[in-house]
Amino acid sequence: MRNLLLIAIILFISLPSYAQNEDEIRVLLFTGGHDFDRGAFFGMLEDMEGFTISEVKHPNANDYFLESRASEYDVILFYDMVQEISEEQKAGFESLVEEGIGLVFLHHSLVSYQSWDFFKHVMGGRYHESGAKASNYKHEVKLNAKVIAPDHPVMEGISDFMLFDEIYGNVEILNKVTPLLKTDHPESMPLLAWAQEPSPKTRSVYIQPGHGPEVFALEPFQLLLMQSLAWAAFR
Ligand SMILES: [Zn+2]
């Protein structure tokens, strides 16, 4: 009888936490192709409650699109910067977007796949590495961030803030995106974050800041990232 009681107590204690895990947003994180401060970045991710993060690194990360394993996640967080992708992997990604997946593109992922237009369409823009309309970057810049869509779920509880991070200039931004955050800094691209629904079941967000520890430590940036992941995941 005492054993039964013990089992009942253990079940009672363990059930609620099991239910909580079921509610967690499953994030598939793509990295590789560009260095970043792993300690500071993963320190920030570990402090985010309600998310389970699984990292895959290039050169093998895009195989997730071949095996449909990416569909086991609610949202993909792109923090990679790569050009290599096979036609089969592209097709796998395109069907995933059609079936429905959350997509959050962070910082240097804007440089990935310079000649793949479908990726530009779901990202909402492109940093051009070369050519007549080449983009540019500048490190360690202090700039302002102004909220331009205060009623959008991604922006909930976020007010205008200052940040210290890398900026990008002369970037192509597609007209169809919903602007979320802008800056007055003359050398930066005018938008710092935007959202869109590239297919009826897929939502995407692009966030430009995200180079280093100074911005990872900022509460408005953390909120922006968490709420982007949640919104893209239809939560
Ligand atoms: Zn950077």
Side-chain angles (χ1 to χ4, degrees):
M1 187 62 195
R2 185 173 286 176
N3 282 350
L4 274 179
L5 188 65
L6 193 63
I7 289 167
I9 289 169
I10 289 168
L11 274 176
F12 180 76
I13 292 169
S14 58
L15 276 176
S17 66
Y18 177 73
Q20 259 174 16
N21 287 341
E22 289 282 286
D23 290 337
E24 295 223 323
I25 296 173
R26 298 160 302 170
V27 181
L28 180 61
L29 168 67
F30 275 35
T31 64
H34 196 294
D35 282 342
F36 60 97
D37 186 328
R38 287 188 67 88
F41 184 67
F42 282 96
M44 171 187 68
L45 295 184
E46 280 158 23
D47 286 346
M48 292 178 5
E49 280 179 29
F51 299 89
T52 308
I53 314 273
S54 309
E55 183 191 19
V56 283
K57 294 180 189 177
H58 291 289
N60 302 318
N62 286 335
D63 286 344
Y64 266 76
F65 301 137
L66 290 179
E67 302 158 15
S68 301
R69 284 163 68 198
S71 63
E72 295 163 16
Y73 297 85
D74 301 305
V75 52
I76 303 175
L77 174 58
F78 291 88
Y79 195 40
D80 54 351
M81 191 182 116
V82 280
Q83 302 306 327
E84 300 75 30
I85 185 161
S86 71
E87 291 305 315
E88 291 78 11
Q89 289 164 339
K90 282 182 183 178
F93 179 73
E94 290 180 20
S95 40
L96 191 62
V97 170
E98 200 174 310
E99 288 157 21
I101 184 80
L103 302 169
V104 175
F105 301 97
L106 190 58
H107 193 57
H108 49 239
S109 63
L110 191 61
V111 192
S112 291
Y113 312 119
Q114 293 281 302
S115 54
W116 182 19
D117 280 345
F118 184 80
F119 195 74
K120 180 169 82 174
H121 154 69
V122 296
M123 166 109 63
R126 177 177 288 155
Y127 179 109
H128 290 273
E129 279 195 298
S130 57
K133 294 178 181 172
S135 309
N136 54 72
Y137 62 89
K138 191 174 186 180
H139 283 282
E140 300 183 335
V141 177
K142 191 178 174 188
L143 68 157
N144 72 327
K146 273 188 184 171
V147 176
I148 39 180
D151 297 330
H152 196 288
V154 169
M155 302 311 294
E156 197 179 327
I158 302 175
S159 310
D160 298 354
F161 59 99
M162 294 299 296
L163 66 157
F164 184 75
D165 201 49
E166 179 186 15
I167 56 169
Y168 297 156
N170 201 30
V171 164
E172 179 185 1
I173 302 172
L174 303 184
N175 286 329
K176 62 173 182 156
V177 303
T178 302
L180 300 177
L181 197 66
K182 69 171 185 173
T183 183
D184 299 317
H185 196 286
E187 290 170 276
S188 169
M189 56 202 268
L191 298 183
L192 296 180
W194 60 74
Q196 57 162 334
E197 303 192 26
S199 85
K201 293 180 195 165
T202 291
R203 288 174 170 173
S204 89
V205 180
Y206 174 72
I207 301 170
Q208 190 278 330
H211 182 83
E214 291 88 354
V215 81
F216 300 153
L218 268 188
E219 199 190 331
F221 177 79
Q222 295 166 358
L223 265 179
L224 179 63
L225 180 57
M226 286 192 284
Q227 290 171 177
S228 295
L229 291 167
W231 180 77
F234 285 85
R235 297 292 186 93

